[in-house]
Amino acid sequence: MTRRGRMLLTAIAFLLGLAVAAAALLVCGIPAALAGGADDDAVTVTVQEGDTLWGYAEEYAPEGMSPHEFVVEARTVNQLPTGRVSVGQELEMPVFDGASR
């Protein structure tokens, strides 16, 4: 194989790798923090007795976002397997661009 042929084969393999990586990100989903959905100015809260993610949704969710959507986002940001929180647990509440509450 000539030098030009090897270079062409390498370029094709590189582009194919990029395409596979892009497809994997689209299929698996990109975390909101990387996708730009949430602002870097997230608020950290310490869970108090009686606090729930639904309560935080009422306080922190922007207008137009349902409490369910906010709970899903908060669970993703905090890597919570369920919606249960414990007293003393520190949670990062996402703050969205243009949010007015």
Side-chain angles (χ1 to χ4, degrees), residues 6-97:
R6 286 191 303 267
M7 289 177 59
L8 181 62
L9 189 59
T10 301
I12 291 171
F14 177 76
L15 292 174
L16 183 60
L18 285 177
V20 169
L25 287 174
L26 291 174
V27 170
C28 296
I30 302 171
L34 296 177
D39 194 6
D40 290 337
D41 298 330
V43 175
T44 301
V45 296
T46 302
V47 177
Q48 303 296 317
E49 184 72 33
D51 286 354
T52 65
L53 288 179
W54 291 92
Y56 291 131
E58 291 176 7
E59 185 175 346
Y60 293 103
E63 288 184 36
M65 178 181 252
S66 74
H68 180 265
E69 291 172 324
F70 185 85
V71 168
V72 169
E73 183 66 26
R75 284 182 55 199
T76 301
V77 168
N78 292 286
Q79 300 175 352
L80 299 173
T82 69
R84 292 183 179 224
V85 293
S86 304
V87 173
Q89 185 176 12
E90 289 193 359
L91 300 174
E92 189 174 304
M93 294 293 111
V95 178
F96 295 86
D97 295 332

